[in-house]
Amino acid sequence: MKTIICSEEQKNLIWHRLLSQSGGPVITDVQLLSPSNILRQEEPADEKADALRLSRLLKTKAEAFPIYRAMFRFPAFIQEILSFARECALYGISPDTLPGDTASERELAGILSEALTLPLKEKTIAANYPQILSDASRLSPAEFEVRFEADPFRSRFLNDLRQAIPDSRETVTERPVRKTELRYAPGVRQELEACAQDIIRRGTSCAVVLCDYESQLPVLRQVFERYRIPYSAVHEPFRPAAVDAYLSLARFALFRDRDSFLACLETDAFPSHADSRLIRHFSAAMTDEGFLPLAERIDKTKFERDYKNADTMDQSAEHFLSAIDTVYKNLYSADSPAAALSAAFEALRSSGITSDPEELGAALALRTRLNQTIPLVESQEDALFVLQEIDSLTSSVSEPRPSFCMVTDLSHPAGPTDTLYVLGCSGKQYPGVPLRKGLFDEPYAAKVPGYPTMEERHALWVSQLSWLENSSDTVIYSYAASDYQGREIQPAFDITSKPVTAVPWNIEKIKPADPRRHSLLPETAQALYETDGQIHSSVSRIERWFNCPYSWFLQSGLKIRREQLGGLEQSDIGTLQHAVMEHAVKTYKKDYFRISETEIREFLKPAFASLRAMHPDEEIRAALSEERMVFSILQTMQFLKETEEAAPSWTPEKAEEHFEEPITEHVLLNGCIDRIDYSGPSLRILDYKSSKKTLSEKKIKAGLLLQLLSYLIVACRRENRKPAGAFYISLKSENGKSEAGSFAKTNKNGVLNDACGSDASLHDAMVKERRISGWSFDDPLISDEDYKHLFTPGTGRYSYEAVEQCICELYEYFHEHACNGDIDVDPVVGACTFCDYKAVCRYHLPPRASREVVMKDISLKKGKEAD
């Protein structure tokens, strides 16, 4: 039988090559062995338990190690000790020869001495080294295809193997470089872009060597996918979902609390799948004691829609709990830490995660570790140590295969190719000799007799890099001039000292294609939008069409909705603010501003209890929102008191008036008018807003501010009254400006102006910031000097007839274009900022300015023509 000695990463490629050479489906009389396979012929059965065993051993002797004893419970510390202890065993380094110049070094020597008492496999390797070489002579004939081995011990072992195996030969295929180039790019991403473009131009087989593999690979993956470049990576690191699922299951079995249960849902660890909506519901309904239906804790009168959703989700949650009942009970009934770890793995086996081959591999590796460590687990502290150790595990897909492009790093040579790209050749990353860090850094290792020196390891590593010059016709070394933050990057001296001149990459800027106009057939549009020849809609949705027709089409035509994030949202606060104002108006009518703080708090109490139940993780935010709301409402009432006293003829008559009325022949509106006031035959409407808002004639004619005036038209038609005005009331406490102090110009004695900072000046500042904005039509009181300072209606009066004509024309304009299929991506400035559909439209052009679409030459003011 022929033996091929190679690295683990090469095996898959070699099998592919042998299959292609044989021309058949099966290969016989060939075995592939790595140096590790040969060295570890008698691997200890419980090697994975070494870390837990060492941790427990050190804890029993903690008093002897005052400096490091607090670290004995951390797997990372234990693993670092074990790693260096294994190297000491391989090189035959005695603990007596370790550095001891400081108290810290003396403790480390003692800790390593304890670690070396464990049955480490490296001790067996060192003791049986001559026998291993003798046994390896039976592998003849053997072919050596190891192209990179920078570990000093393994390098020595390979050399000894070559001598020990009588009939052995090197079979590494070399392809000496005929041309060397040196390129640079302005930034890191541009370097990868340039490489991708160059690969496409050449169109021949290639390999890409990443000097900083972990940080460059994710970006390269994105770039190559965009350019449709097929590639095979030497290894792709990933976090196995099986590991996260197991950890959440084990913690739930140990702690049996709400947070660990939610973690199981997040990692999809149960046999039944919970979608994001159900997970959010469980986060509100699940407690440490168990599941409590959420609908029972919601104020149905104020959150009717939330109550119905919660009731539906309660039923889904109970169905889910029934589906996982067996697994849930097994986890909950684990009577010891070791039993909890075992029960968690049994639960993992019943989940669907292990159906994926890569996840199955991770689960099998996890089972091996658990089989070795669970027998040693005696306490919860032991179990948590095991879980911390598992939490540090990562996996990688390591199946390189023949490909048009091979992506690798400096320590994993690629096969012969036409072009080799070496990217990221900065002074920090190339030649990339690994340096010792942590407890046993280079200064420490330099004081250890028998440990390979830094010079030896550096020389060995650099000599291995000769493969870069022996694997392709052309090798291109490249570096970036700056990083992602714009900081300068210095190229590696080993690269710039080559006898070639650095030239910039030729990077072509690829502009996005001009978007095509989107449209529907009229019959399709009418079928989507119309009901009995009318479009039924709220005003805000129609405003969305004027902001961007395509966004409106996705929301109102295709009924695509943004998934609710599940947190406490501004809409909840707005709902409560409106409810308080409605309660005050309906209870006290004209004197609604007399509502007390106590009454406001009592009114809000059940509502905020509902919000806390729906969003238990946002308790603090809910409390802050409640205090801010009460303060803001009280301040608003203080201001509105002055407006009511200044206009005694106006009386609030209706609050939260719902309607569903046709505003034009082809548009039927639905909505809710916050407040309607009467004064004789006239009415005015007031709209509560959570921030300051004003009317703009230009934006109205552009269809961007339809709500307030549309509500006025609907109210006048329904109530059969004359329009007096339409106004916004801001419920937000704005920051006002008030002078801290000033001096009169003629004041020679330096006496401070008493008016500055007084209660009167602060009151004036508050009124100035809170003035009600909107338009007046037929309200004579607004001309009163004692009244108009409370309003900012704009200059002049507005013509209701012109406004009604404008609004109606806008709705008919909307109906005509929407039903003709106009759904073009045409956003106005600001429309894209909070749009939920940016990922769908991928609009790259600048947004347009708002444009008037009706009555362009007619002013809405009384007796005035547009300029």
Side-chain angles (χ1 to χ4, degrees):
M1 175 181 290
K2 182 174 73 172
T3 300
I4 299 177
I5 299 175
C6 60
S7 61
E8 287 291 339
E9 293 80 7
Q10 291 177 280
K11 288 183 177 180
N12 198 45
L13 290 170
I14 293 174
W15 283 125
H16 275 283
R17 188 190 72 205
L18 294 175
L19 277 171
S20 63
Q21 290 174 352
S22 66
V26 179
I27 300 173
T28 59
D29 296 329
V30 176
Q31 64 174 341
L32 305 186
L33 295 176
S34 69
S36 298
N37 298 143
I38 301 172
L39 282 170
R40 300 179 182 178
Q41 292 177 345
E42 298 181 2
E43 188 169 316
D46 59 350
E47 178 191 3
K48 304 298 184 184
D50 285 346
L52 179 58
R53 188 181 290 111
L54 178 58
S55 175
R56 293 175 60 177
L57 174 63
L58 292 175
K59 286 176 185 176
T60 63
K61 302 182 179 183
E63 295 302 322
F65 306 107
I67 297 176
Y68 290 105
R69 62 187 174 193
M71 303 296 294
F72 294 165
R73 62 190 179 91
F74 296 108
F77 175 84
I78 298 299
Q79 290 292 355
E80 190 170 1
I81 296 294
L82 273 176
S83 177
F84 195 72
R86 295 181 194 281
E87 291 188 90
C88 290
L90 284 175
Y91 292 117
I93 299 171
S94 171
D96 298 335
T97 63
L98 294 172
D101 299 335
T102 65
S104 175
E105 290 180 347
R106 288 191 290 273
E107 277 200 16
L108 286 178
I111 292 171
L112 287 168
S113 179
E114 297 293 338
L116 287 169
T117 63
L118 299 177
L120 303 178
K121 65 177 182 295
E122 286 76 13
K123 294 166 63 175
T124 305
I125 291 173
N128 298 336
Y129 191 79
Q131 185 62 42
I132 292 173
L133 291 176
S134 176
D135 294 342
S137 63
R138 302 172 187 172
L139 298 176
S140 179
E143 296 179 358
F144 283 82
E145 291 200 21
V146 178
R147 302 182 64 195
F148 197 103
E149 185 53 75
D151 179 79
F153 179 82
R154 293 181 187 279
S155 179
R156 187 189 76 182
F157 177 64
L158 283 171
N159 290 333
D160 292 342
L161 273 181
R162 292 183 178 96
Q163 300 298 323
I165 302 175
D167 187 12
S168 64
R169 63 191 182 93
E170 300 287 338
T171 58
V172 175
T173 303
E174 295 188 348
R175 192 170 180 174
V177 171
R178 292 186 297 176
K179 183 180 181 182
T180 301
E181 299 179 14
L182 179 57
R183 304 285 183 85
Y184 64 90
V188 176
R189 190 177 186 91
Q190 290 93 327
E191 181 184 18
L192 296 172
E193 290 272 353
C195 175
Q197 293 180 8
D198 195 70
I199 289 172
I200 292 173
R201 292 191 195 99
R202 294 175 186 266
T204 57
S205 65
C206 63
V208 178
V209 180
L210 303 177
C211 294
D212 188 6
Y213 191 86
E214 290 187 2
S215 64
Q216 288 178 288
L217 181 64
V219 184
L220 178 137
R221 187 186 300 120
Q222 297 173 6
V223 173
F224 277 28
E225 286 178 358
R226 183 154 44 84
Y227 283 95
R228 301 293 190 268
I229 298 175
Y231 72 94
S232 173
V234 65
H235 61 90
E236 299 226 18
F238 77 101
R239 172 73 170 189
V243 170
D244 290 328
Y246 175 78
L247 290 172
S248 61
L249 289 167
R251 286 172 179 139
F252 177 64
L254 286 171
F255 302 118
R256 305 169 191 174
D257 60 357
R258 167 185 175 271
D259 290 342
S260 55
F261 176 80
L262 294 177
C264 291
L265 298 181
E266 292 285 354
T267 57
D268 202 15
F270 290 123
S272 184
H273 173 71
D275 59 24
S276 57
R277 291 183 65 229
L278 188 56
I279 293 175
R280 287 197 300 271
H281 186 75
F282 269 118
S283 70
M286 182 61 76
T287 67
D288 290 343
E289 289 73 32
F291 177 75
L292 296 179
L294 180 60
E296 298 175 1
R297 293 176 279 158
I298 295 179
D299 184 353
K300 184 178 179 180
T301 60
K302 296 182 178 62
F303 300 102
E304 182 179 1
R305 184 179 62 180
D306 293 309
Y307 172 83
K308 292 179 180 178
N309 291 338
D311 187 52
T312 302
M313 294 305 299
D314 280 341
Q315 298 176 36
S316 299
E318 290 171 353
H319 178 75
F320 177 84
L321 291 173
S322 176
I324 66 167
D325 182 65
T326 302
V327 171
Y328 187 95
K329 287 180 178 178
N330 288 340
L331 292 169
Y332 212 85
S333 60
D335 56 2
S336 69
L341 298 185
S342 297
F345 189 78
E346 290 303 314
L348 179 68
R349 293 176 60 185
S350 66
S351 71
I353 293 176
T354 54
S355 60
D356 182 273
E358 293 173 4
E359 295 296 342
L360 177 60
L364 292 174
L366 181 60
R367 183 182 65 180
T368 300
R369 181 176 293 273
L370 291 173
N371 287 341
Q372 296 180 18
T373 54
I374 285 179
L376 298 177
V377 174
E378 298 176 354
S379 64
Q380 189 176 82
E381 186 178 9
D382 290 343
L384 292 176
F385 182 91
V386 173
L387 295 183
Q388 288 181 58
E389 193 177 13
I390 292 173
D391 195 19
S392 65
L393 295 179
T394 57
S395 296
S396 64
V397 180
S398 183
E399 294 187 1
R401 57 193 182 277
S403 176
F404 167 75
C405 177
M406 181 67 186
V407 179
T408 183
D409 57 24
L410 291 168
S411 62
H412 295 86
T417 60
D418 293 325
T419 309
L420 180 72
Y421 301 89
V422 187
L423 306 182
C425 297
S426 68
K428 290 184 178 180
Q429 304 300 336
Y430 188 90
V433 181
L435 301 177
R436 297 199 59 85
K437 299 177 181 179
L439 293 172
F440 309 104
D441 55 11
E442 291 295 345
Y444 184 94
K447 295 190 289 185
V448 178
Y451 192 84
T453 65
M454 182 178 178
E455 291 77 9
E456 293 172 343
R457 287 178 280 122
H458 186 278
L460 180 60
W461 178 277
V462 173
S463 66
Q464 303 291 310
L465 291 181
S466 60
W467 75 268
L468 296 173
E469 303 289 340
N470 293 281
S471 59
S472 61
D473 291 334
T474 302
V475 60
I476 301 175
Y477 295 96
S478 171
Y479 63 92
S482 62
D483 61 13
Y484 293 109
Q485 288 78 36
R487 295 174 297 195
E488 182 181 6
I489 296 178
Q490 292 295 332
F493 174 77
D494 303 65
I495 300 301
T496 56
S497 60
K498 293 182 180 295
V500 290
T501 303
V503 295
W505 279 104
N506 178 23
I507 306 175
E508 296 182 12
K509 294 183 179 180
I510 303 174
K511 297 181 179 180
D514 291 337
R516 294 181 298 174
R517 294 188 65 83
H518 294 278
S519 62
L520 298 175
L521 294 175
E523 52 268 29
T524 302
Q526 291 164 18
L528 276 175
Y529 311 136
E530 282 193 335
T531 302
D532 299 330
Q534 289 182 320
I535 294 180
H536 296 204
S537 177
S538 65
V539 181
S540 60
R541 288 188 184 176
I542 297 176
E543 286 179 348
R544 178 182 283 268
W545 184 88
F546 284 101
N547 274 274
C548 179
Y550 190 66
S551 175
W552 174 81
F553 160 69
L554 294 175
Q555 184 189 61
S556 300
L558 300 185
K559 310 297 182 184
I560 298 174
R561 297 289 188 272
R562 175 177 66 89
E563 185 178 19
Q564 297 296 317
L565 298 178
L568 184 62
E569 297 192 6
Q570 186 61 38
S571 58
D572 297 323
I573 304 303
T575 299
L576 292 181
Q577 287 176 321
H578 281 66
V580 172
M581 298 301 294
E582 177 188 10
H583 170 73
V585 169
K586 288 184 176 180
T587 303
Y588 297 103
K589 291 293 184 180
K590 180 71 172 176
D591 296 328
Y592 63 89
F593 50 81
R594 299 188 185 278
I595 187 171
S596 66
E597 179 179 348
T598 301
E599 188 175 354
I600 293 174
R601 290 188 181 277
E602 285 299 315
F603 181 83
L604 291 175
K605 187 175 181 179
F608 271 96
S610 297
L611 288 178
R612 289 183 174 93
M614 289 188 283
H615 314 294
D617 295 328
E618 299 196 59
E619 172 72 26
I620 296 177
R621 185 181 173 194
L624 289 173
S625 297
E626 183 176 9
E627 292 304 315
R628 287 177 179 174
M629 184 184 298
V630 172
F631 174 79
S632 178
I633 291 175
L634 288 173
Q635 196 175 57
T636 300
M637 292 300 186
Q638 178 186 351
F639 170 76
L640 291 177
K641 176 184 178 182
E642 295 188 36
T643 67
E644 298 299 339
E645 291 175 347
S649 64
W650 285 104
T651 302
E653 289 292 335
K654 296 184 178 181
E656 298 298 317
E657 184 75 2
H658 292 269
F659 68 87
E660 187 171 357
E661 303 282 347
I663 193 164
T664 66
E665 179 184 357
H666 298 104
V667 177
L668 184 144
L669 293 182
N670 59 73
C672 180
I673 303 173
D674 291 341
R675 183 173 135 191
I676 303 176
D677 291 358
Y678 288 174
S679 179
S682 300
L683 67 75
R684 68 181 183 185
I685 66 166
L686 296 102
D687 194 26
Y688 305 129
K689 293 297 179 184
S690 58
S691 61
K692 204 166 184 178
K693 197 167 184 179
T694 59
L695 288 177
S696 161
E697 184 170 335
K698 182 178 180 180
K699 288 187 176 181
I700 289 171
K701 292 179 179 179
L704 305 179
L705 286 176
L706 294 174
Q707 186 186 57
L708 187 63
L709 298 179
S710 298
Y711 285 5
L712 177 66
I713 294 170
V714 170
C716 288
R717 292 177 181 177
R718 292 185 65 175
E719 306 299 323
N720 193 25
R721 288 175 176 268
K722 296 189 298 180
F727 305 100
Y728 294 116
I729 296 178
S730 173
L731 300 179
K732 181 181 178 182
S733 297
E734 301 285 351
N735 294 326
K737 295 181 181 180
S738 180
E739 293 183 352
S742 65
F743 296 92
K745 292 182 180 180
T746 58
N747 186 349
K748 297 181 180 180
N749 297 321
V751 179
L752 188 67
N753 187 347
D754 291 336
C756 295
S758 64
D759 291 342
S761 65
L762 292 175
H763 172 268
D764 292 343
M766 182 273 290
V767 169
K768 184 176 180 181
E769 293 299 326
R770 278 195 168 271
R771 282 184 299 182
I772 298 175
S773 66
W775 283 359
S776 62
F777 297 95
D778 198 21
D779 183 1
L781 291 176
I782 290 181
S783 299
D784 191 330
E785 292 298 326
D786 296 331
Y787 183 68
K788 69 177 184 180
H789 71 285
L790 300 171
F791 284 75
T792 55
T795 57
R797 299 286 182 82
Y798 288 82
S799 167
Y800 175 75
E801 291 75 15
V803 166
E804 184 178 25
Q805 178 186 349
C806 175
I807 297 298
C808 292
E809 286 186 14
L810 283 167
Y811 283 118
E812 286 300 305
Y813 178 92
F814 153 73
H815 174 269
E816 177 185 356
H817 285 75
C819 289
N820 282 334
D822 183 1
I823 57 168
D824 192 29
V825 182
D826 188 25
V828 72
V829 173
C832 298
T833 304
F834 300 106
C835 181
D836 299 325
Y837 311 111
K838 287 189 286 187
V840 176
C841 75
R842 299 188 179 184
Y843 188 74
H844 298 287
L845 301 177
R848 62 175 172 84
S850 59
R851 54 175 177 260
E852 300 175 355
V853 295
V854 299
M855 300 178 66
K856 299 178 183 179
D857 299 325
I858 301 176
S859 174
L860 302 182
K861 292 181 179 179
K862 282 188 174 182
K864 182 179 180 181
E865 296 294 327
D867 295 332

